[in-house]
Amino acid sequence: MWGGRFSRGPSEIMEAINASIDFDRKLATQDIAGSRAHVAMLAATGIIDKADAEAIDAGLKTVAGELESGDFKFSRALEDIHMNVESRLAALIGPVAGRLHTARSRNDQVATDFRLYVRDFLDALDPALAALQRTLATRALEHAGTVMPGFTHLQSAQPVTFGHHLLAYVEMLSRDRGRVADCRARLNENPLGSAALAGTSFPIDRAMTAKALGFDRPTANSLDAVADRDFVIEALSASAIVAMHLSRLAEEIVIWCSAQFAFVRLSDAFSTGSSIMPQKRNPDAAELVRAKTGRIFGALQGLLTVMKGLPLAYSKDMQEDKEQAFDAFEAVALCVAAMDGMIGDLEPDARRMKEAAGAGFATATDLADWLVRTCAMPFREAHHVTGAIVAIASGRGCALEELTLADMQGVSSAITEDVFDVLGVERSVASRTSFGGTAPENVRAQAEQWLERLR
C-alpha cells in the first residue's frame, strides 16, 4: 500500500500495533454500502466512466456476498477493512478497482462507515427499549394493586404497589429513548467527500451520496467531519445511562430474589445453580446485567480519554475508537434483551410483599397526614405525635393498627376512632391519588396509557 514512498515493509511489531482488521471487520457491511454510493456518484458526475463504475459495483456486490457467506479471507497485512475490501475487489476486476478511491480518503471513509454502524445500532436499540417498556407496563397493569414496601435508604418508607415500581423504569426508559433519538438525529450527516481533511478538487456531489446512504445532509466542515467522534461518544453516553438504569433494576431483582426478601422468583430459564450447594438458585442474569455496566462505562471513559488531547484533524489514535465501542454496544443490546426476558419471567409473591409493606411502621406518614387533615395540627406537631405513637408500638413489638385507641389518645386526645381508616397498607396506597402517585387506580391508568403509546 505504501510502495511509492517506502522501500521496506513494516516490522512484525508495527504490523501488530497498526492493524485494525481484527475488529473493524465489523464495519464490512457499512464499508460496502459507502463504496457503492461513492462509485455511483463518481459515475454520475463524470469523474469515472460508467463502464468502470458498473464493473466496480458488480465487484463490490461479489465481495458483499463473500462477506455474508463467510468465504471472505481477511489479511492483517492489509491493515483494515477498507484495504481488505479494495484488495479483494482488485483481485476480482483488475486495476479498474483502483478508481474506487478517487476523491476520498480512508479518513472520511471510516468516519462514514462508523456513523452508519452507530446509526444501525441506535435503530436496533430503540425498538428493543420499547419492547422492554411494553413488558414492564404489561406487568405493571397486572400488578397495579399488588402492595409492596417502598424504600428510601433501603429502609421501609411507605407502601407502594409493584406496578407503580415497575412504571418508574418505564419512565426512565422513555428518557433513554429520547436520548437515542437525539443522538441519531445529530449523527445523521454524511462525512463522505471530506477526503483526508481538506475536501477534494474533484467535482463530487456530496448531497447525492448523503441521500443514497440515508443521511439528512453532508457535513459542513471537512476538518470536523474526519476528526469528529462525538457521535460515538454520545451513543456510548446514551448506552451508559441505559446500562445504569438496567443495573439499578438488576440490583433490585437480586435483592428481591434473596431468601431474606423473597419478593419475586425467577424461573429456571433465568436462574443458575451452585456446583457445591444444591439448594442454591442464583439470579445470575441480573448479576451479569449489573456487571456489564462497568464495561459500558469503561468504553465511554476510554474514548473520551483518547479524544481529549487530539489536534485536528485525524490522528492514528482514533483507530482506538472502535473496539471498546463495539463491545459496549453489543453488551447494552444483550442487557436490554436479558432484562426484557427477566421482567416477563419473574413472579412476585404478593402475600410476602404485602407482609413486608406493613413492617417498619410504613403507614406512619399516613397517620401524620391524618392528624393534619382531621385534627388541624401543624405538620411538625403531627410528626412529633406520630413519632411518639411509633415508639409505643415499637416497644410493644406490634404494628400501628394493632394499638388501641386509648394508647394513641394517651399521646394526643384529639385522635378519634377514624384514625384506623388510614393505617392499613392497602388503605395507604389507595389514598395516594395525587398525579403520579401509587394509588392502584393511577397505576392502572398510567399502565394503560403507556401500552397505548407503545402499541
Side-chain angles (χ1 to χ4, degrees):
M1 183 166 48
W2 319 119
R5 174 66 178 84
F6 290 75
S7 58
R8 297 173 56 191
S11 71
E12 289 183 10
I13 293 173
M14 180 60 192
E15 183 177 294
I17 196 172
N18 194 47
S20 59
I21 189 59
D22 292 342
F23 52 86
D24 72 11
R25 64 179 63 188
K26 290 181 183 291
L27 298 176
T29 299
Q30 292 78 18
D31 196 69
I32 296 291
S35 290
R36 292 189 66 195
H38 184 66
V39 76
M41 180 275 296
L42 292 177
T45 54
I47 296 171
I48 66 173
D49 66 45
K50 184 177 179 181
D52 287 347
E54 289 175 350
I56 291 169
D57 190 64
L60 287 170
K61 289 180 182 177
T62 300
V63 175
E66 293 176 351
L67 286 161
E68 186 175 348
S69 67
D71 294 331
F72 190 91
K73 299 295 188 293
F74 294 96
S75 168
R76 180 178 274 197
L78 292 168
E79 289 192 8
D80 57 31
I81 186 61
H82 321 300
M83 297 311 300
N84 270 262
V85 168
E86 188 173 323
S87 176
R88 179 58 182 149
L89 182 65
L92 288 169
I93 68 172
V96 70
R99 298 191 183 281
L100 173 60
H101 210 53
T102 306
R104 76 174 184 186
S105 162
R106 286 191 300 175
N107 293 355
D108 62 337
Q109 190 177 356
V110 70
T112 303
D113 292 357
F114 207 3
R115 280 182 189 251
L116 291 171
Y117 183 95
V118 174
R119 190 178 71 185
D120 288 344
F121 160 70
L122 295 174
D123 286 347
L125 180 60
D126 181 72
L129 292 172
L132 176 52
Q133 284 183 295
R134 277 192 295 273
T135 302
L136 286 161
T138 299
R139 300 310 305 272
L141 184 59
E142 182 183 340
H143 292 282
T146 302
V147 179
M148 69 174 290
F151 298 96
T152 61
H153 310 278
L154 202 57
Q155 306 293 314
S156 291
Q158 293 176 319
V160 296
T161 70
F162 188 54
H164 190 59
H165 197 110
L166 295 179
L167 286 179
Y169 286 96
V170 176
E171 295 291 334
M172 293 183 208
L173 293 170
S174 178
R175 296 191 294 272
D176 288 330
R177 292 182 65 199
R179 280 181 281 270
V180 167
D182 289 346
C183 178
R184 191 198 192 282
R186 269 185 289 278
L187 75 76
N188 207 36
E189 295 184 344
N190 181 28
L192 196 59
S194 299
L197 75 161
T200 178
S201 59
F202 289 97
I204 61 173
D205 184 345
R206 295 190 62 207
M208 179 180 174
T209 52
K211 182 178 180 180
L213 294 170
F215 289 114
D216 294 330
R217 64 192 70 83
T219 52
N221 183 285
S222 60
L223 281 169
D224 177 57
V226 299
D228 170 42
R229 291 299 183 270
D230 289 2
F231 63 95
V232 192
I233 292 169
E234 190 171 358
L236 286 171
S237 178
S239 296
I241 298 172
V242 170
M244 178 268 292
H245 288 152
L246 298 182
S247 185
R248 295 183 72 177
L249 181 51
E251 169 69 4
E252 295 195 304
I253 291 173
V254 171
I255 292 171
W256 294 341
C257 283
S258 69
Q260 290 72 23
F261 275 74
F263 286 178
V264 303
R265 177 183 173 88
L266 288 171
S267 77
D268 293 353
F270 287 94
S271 303
T272 65
S274 165
S275 64
I276 190 173
M277 294 170 286
Q279 83 281 10
K280 292 295 292 297
R281 291 179 60 82
N282 300 322
D284 281 2
E287 292 173 14
L288 288 165
V289 167
R290 187 176 60 186
K292 287 183 184 295
T293 304
R295 69 202 298 167
I296 297 164
F297 287 3
L300 172 59
Q301 188 60 50
L303 186 51
L304 285 168
T305 304
V306 167
M307 297 300 296
K308 71 175 181 61
L310 297 187
L312 294 179
Y314 182 86
S315 297
K316 193 68 171 182
D317 310 52
M318 292 167 68
Q319 184 168 287
E320 292 296 314
D321 60 354
K322 298 174 195 65
E323 196 167 7
Q324 289 188 74
F326 292 155
D327 180 79
F329 295 151
E330 290 172 4
V332 76
L334 180 58
C335 287
V336 172
M339 187 57 71
D340 194 6
M342 282 186 284
I343 295 300
D345 179 82
L346 61 80
E347 283 303 325
D349 185 333
R351 182 197 61 78
R352 171 66 187 136
M353 282 184 165
K354 182 178 177 181
E355 180 183 86
F361 310 107
T363 57
T365 304
D366 297 278
L367 173 54
D369 289 346
W370 182 87
L371 290 168
V372 170
R373 285 195 309 270
T374 306
C375 304
M377 278 188 193
F379 182 79
R380 285 301 166 203
E381 181 182 348
H383 187 284
H384 180 80
V385 168
T386 300
I389 293 171
V390 167
I392 294 171
S394 179
R396 295 183 185 176
C398 67
L400 291 176
E401 58 267 33
E402 293 173 336
L403 292 174
T404 67
L405 179 60
D407 291 329
M408 296 190 196
Q409 287 179 334
V411 178
S412 174
S413 59
I415 297 175
T416 67
E417 189 76 29
D418 292 343
V419 71
F420 292 99
D421 292 340
V422 301
L423 292 182
V425 293
E426 289 180 329
R427 293 189 184 99
S428 174
V429 297
S431 72
R432 307 292 173 178
T433 55
S434 59
F435 183 79
T438 192
E441 62 187 83
N442 286 14
V443 175
R444 289 189 190 94
Q446 286 287 336
E448 288 169 351
Q449 288 173 21
W450 269 115
L451 288 170
E452 180 62 29
R453 287 172 61 182
L454 293 163
R455 188 168 291 123

